[in-house]
Protein backbone atom coordinates (compact mmCIF):
# COMPACT_ATOMS: atom_id res chain seq x y z
CA UNK A 1 0.00 0.00 0.00
CA UNK A 2 1.41 3.36 -0.87
CA UNK A 3 0.30 6.61 0.64
CA UNK A 4 -1.29 7.52 -2.68
CA UNK A 5 -3.54 4.45 -2.49
CA UNK A 6 -4.83 5.17 1.01
CA UNK A 7 -8.07 6.96 1.57
CA UNK A 8 -7.84 9.54 4.36
CA UNK A 9 -6.04 7.96 7.35
CA UNK A 10 -7.94 8.38 10.58
CA UNK A 11 -6.34 9.52 13.82
CA UNK A 12 -4.90 7.08 16.32
CA UNK A 13 -7.79 5.09 17.70
CA UNK A 14 -6.13 3.21 20.55
CA UNK A 15 -2.92 2.54 22.34
CA UNK A 16 -1.83 0.25 25.10
CA UNK A 17 1.28 -1.08 26.73
CA UNK A 18 3.85 -1.01 23.85
CA UNK A 19 1.24 -1.04 21.06
CA UNK A 20 -0.80 1.50 19.13
CA UNK A 21 -3.59 1.15 16.58
CA UNK A 22 -4.82 3.19 13.66
CA UNK A 23 -7.62 2.62 11.22
CA UNK A 24 -7.04 3.10 7.51
CA UNK A 25 -9.32 2.67 4.53
CA UNK A 26 -7.86 0.96 1.50
CA UNK A 27 -9.98 0.43 -1.58
CA UNK A 28 -13.12 0.84 0.51
CA UNK A 29 -11.99 -1.71 3.12
CA UNK A 30 -11.42 -0.52 6.68
CA UNK A 31 -8.32 -2.13 8.19
CA UNK A 32 -6.89 -1.73 11.68
CA UNK A 33 -3.09 -1.43 11.65
CA UNK A 34 -1.40 -2.19 14.96
CA UNK A 35 2.27 -1.60 15.71
CA UNK A 36 3.49 -3.71 18.62
CA UNK A 37 6.63 -4.43 20.60
CA UNK A 38 6.78 -7.63 22.65
CA UNK A 39 9.32 -7.72 25.46
CA UNK A 40 12.41 -9.84 24.84
CA UNK A 41 12.62 -13.25 26.56
CA UNK A 42 8.99 -13.09 27.77
CA UNK A 43 7.47 -15.14 24.90
CA UNK A 44 3.75 -15.65 25.74
CA UNK A 45 3.99 -14.94 29.47
CA UNK A 46 3.94 -11.99 31.85
CA UNK A 47 3.82 -8.55 30.28
CA UNK A 48 3.58 -9.95 26.72
CA UNK A 49 0.49 -11.92 27.61
CA UNK A 50 -1.03 -8.71 29.01
CA UNK A 51 -0.20 -6.84 25.77
CA UNK A 52 -1.71 -9.58 23.59
CA UNK A 53 -4.80 -9.73 25.80
CA UNK A 54 -5.29 -5.95 25.40
CA UNK A 55 -4.91 -6.21 21.62
CA UNK A 56 -7.26 -9.19 21.40
CA UNK A 57 -9.98 -7.40 23.38
CA UNK A 58 -9.55 -4.27 21.27
CA UNK A 59 -9.88 -6.27 18.02
CA UNK A 60 -12.82 -8.28 19.34
CA UNK A 61 -14.62 -5.04 20.14
CA UNK A 62 -13.98 -3.43 16.72
CA UNK A 63 -14.54 -6.55 14.57
CA UNK A 64 -12.52 -5.32 11.58
CA UNK A 65 -9.76 -6.90 9.50
CA UNK A 66 -6.35 -6.11 10.96
CA UNK A 67 -2.63 -6.42 10.60
CA UNK A 68 -0.25 -6.57 13.54
CA UNK A 69 3.28 -5.57 12.70
CA UNK A 70 6.31 -5.17 14.84
CA UNK A 71 9.13 -6.59 16.84
CA UNK A 72 7.70 -9.75 18.37
CA UNK A 73 11.05 -10.86 19.84
CA UNK A 74 10.34 -14.45 18.88
CA UNK A 75 10.49 -16.42 15.68
CA UNK A 76 7.24 -17.04 13.73
CA UNK A 77 7.22 -20.81 14.42
CA UNK A 78 6.76 -20.09 18.12
CA UNK A 79 3.24 -18.78 17.42
CA UNK A 80 2.28 -22.13 15.89
CA UNK A 81 3.03 -23.85 19.19
CA UNK A 82 0.39 -21.69 20.90
CA UNK A 83 -3.33 -21.31 20.20
CA UNK A 84 -3.01 -17.55 19.68
CA UNK A 85 -3.08 -17.54 15.87
CA UNK A 86 -6.35 -19.45 15.96
CA UNK A 87 -7.69 -17.14 18.65
CA UNK A 88 -6.86 -14.08 16.52
CA UNK A 89 -8.10 -15.85 13.34
CA UNK A 90 -4.87 -14.78 11.69
CA UNK A 91 -1.84 -15.92 9.73
CA UNK A 92 1.81 -14.96 9.94
CA UNK A 93 3.30 -13.18 6.93
CA UNK A 94 7.10 -13.20 6.96
CA UNK A 95 9.27 -10.71 5.09
CA UNK A 96 11.28 -12.14 2.20
CA UNK A 97 14.61 -11.66 4.01
CA UNK A 98 16.06 -14.57 6.02
CA UNK A 99 16.30 -12.33 9.09
CA UNK A 100 15.13 -8.90 10.26
CA UNK A 101 17.45 -8.41 13.23
CA UNK A 102 21.19 -8.32 12.54
CA UNK A 103 22.28 -8.87 16.12
CA UNK A 104 24.23 -12.09 16.68
CA UNK A 105 23.74 -14.57 13.85
CA UNK A 106 20.53 -12.86 12.71
CA UNK A 107 16.93 -13.67 13.63
CA UNK A 108 13.52 -13.24 12.03
CA UNK A 109 11.59 -11.47 14.80
CA UNK A 110 9.93 -8.62 12.86
CA UNK A 111 6.94 -9.69 10.74
CA UNK A 112 3.19 -9.37 10.26
CA UNK A 113 0.19 -11.14 11.70
CA UNK A 114 -2.74 -10.63 9.35
CA UNK A 115 -6.44 -11.41 9.79
CA UNK A 116 -7.60 -14.30 7.58
CA UNK A 117 -10.04 -12.07 5.69
CA UNK A 118 -7.24 -9.93 4.21
CA UNK A 119 -4.45 -12.53 4.06
CA UNK A 120 -5.34 -13.43 0.44
CA UNK A 121 -4.76 -9.78 -0.50
CA UNK A 122 -1.08 -9.90 0.51
CA UNK A 123 1.21 -9.59 -2.51
CA UNK A 124 4.51 -9.37 -0.65
CA UNK A 125 6.21 -8.63 2.63
CA UNK A 126 9.67 -7.15 2.45
CA UNK A 127 12.53 -6.15 4.70
CA UNK A 128 13.80 -2.61 4.23
CA UNK A 129 17.50 -2.81 4.88
CA UNK A 130 18.51 0.81 4.47
CA UNK A 131 17.10 2.23 7.72
CA UNK A 132 18.69 4.53 10.31
CA UNK A 133 18.10 2.24 13.28
CA UNK A 134 20.13 -0.79 14.23
CA UNK A 135 19.97 -3.78 14.65
CA UNK A 136 16.50 -4.17 13.07
CA UNK A 137 15.43 -3.80 9.45
CA UNK A 138 12.18 -2.08 8.59
CA UNK A 139 9.31 -4.14 7.20
CA UNK A 140 6.63 -3.37 4.63
CA UNK A 141 3.49 -5.17 3.54
CA UNK A 142 2.01 -4.86 0.05
CA UNK A 143 -1.69 -5.61 -0.45
CA UNK A 144 -3.59 -6.14 -3.70
CA UNK A 145 -6.39 -3.65 -4.01
CA UNK A 146 -9.53 -5.26 -5.37
CA UNK A 147 -12.26 -2.94 -6.58
CA UNK A 148 -15.28 -3.37 -4.38
CA UNK A 149 -18.82 -3.97 -5.47
CA UNK A 150 -21.49 -2.03 -3.69
CA UNK A 151 -25.08 -3.12 -3.63
CA UNK A 152 -27.76 -0.48 -3.31
CA UNK A 153 -31.27 -1.58 -2.44
CA UNK A 154 -33.85 0.52 -4.22
CA UNK A 155 -37.61 0.36 -3.80
CA UNK A 156 -39.27 0.13 -7.19
CA UNK A 157 -42.95 0.95 -7.13
CA UNK A 158 -45.01 -1.22 -9.46
CA UNK A 159 -47.32 0.21 -12.09
CA UNK A 160 -50.75 -1.10 -12.88
CA UNK A 161 -50.83 -3.27 -15.96
CA UNK A 162 -53.16 -2.11 -18.73
CA UNK A 163 -56.31 -4.15 -19.09
CA UNK A 164 -55.31 -5.08 -22.60
CA UNK A 165 -51.84 -5.61 -23.91
CA UNK A 166 -51.04 -3.92 -27.21
CA UNK A 167 -50.66 -6.29 -30.20
Amino acid sequence: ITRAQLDEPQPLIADGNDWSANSITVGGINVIVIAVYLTNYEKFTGVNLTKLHQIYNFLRYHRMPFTLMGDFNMEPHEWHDSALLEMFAAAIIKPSAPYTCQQGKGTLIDYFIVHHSIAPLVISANAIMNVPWWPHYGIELELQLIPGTRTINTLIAGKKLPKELPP
Side-chain angles (χ1 to χ4, degrees), residues 152-158:
I152 300 172
N153 295 323
T154 306
L155 176 62
I156 301 173

Side-chain angles (χ1 to χ4, degrees), residues 5-141:
Q5 294 168 322
L6 291 177
D7 297 345
E8 285 295 313
Q10 297 176 12
L12 179 71
I13 56 174
D15 62 344
N17 184 12
D18 288 334
W19 65 273
S20 62
N22 198 339
S23 172
I24 60 172
T25 304
V26 183
I29 299 172
N30 293 326
V31 178
I32 294 176
V33 178
I34 299 175
V36 62
Y37 171 80
L38 294 186
T39 304
N40 204 7
Y41 304 114
E42 289 285 322
K43 306 289 182 190
F44 298 113
T45 63
V47 67
N48 284 349
L49 196 56
T50 300
K51 294 173 192 181
L52 292 170
H53 186 80
Q54 288 175 354
I55 292 168
Y56 176 75
N57 285 333
F58 170 76
L59 290 172
R60 194 173 69 179
Y61 176 79
H62 287 282
R63 298 179 186 251
M64 290 170 50
F66 65 86
T67 180
L68 292 170
M69 61 181 179
D71 178 356
F72 293 98
N73 272 312
M74 64 184 115
E75 302 251 355
H77 69 85
E78 296 179 70
W79 286 84
H80 297 289
D81 297 336
S82 75
L84 291 173
L85 285 178
E86 290 177 33
M87 188 176 85
F88 278 96
I92 291 179
I93 307 293
K94 299 183 278 187
S96 55
Y99 56 87
T100 55
C101 180
Q102 305 171 64
Q103 201 163 17
K105 58 186 173 182
T107 53
L108 180 62
I109 57 175
D110 306 277
Y111 44 87
F112 301 92
I113 297 176
V114 178
H115 188 261
H116 286 307
S117 67
I118 60 171
L121 302 178
V122 174
I123 295 173
S124 67
N126 302 302
I128 305 168
M129 298 174 187
N130 187 18
V131 292
W133 54 84
W134 187 90
H136 294 265
Y137 294 146
I139 55 175
E140 69 178 356
L141 186 68

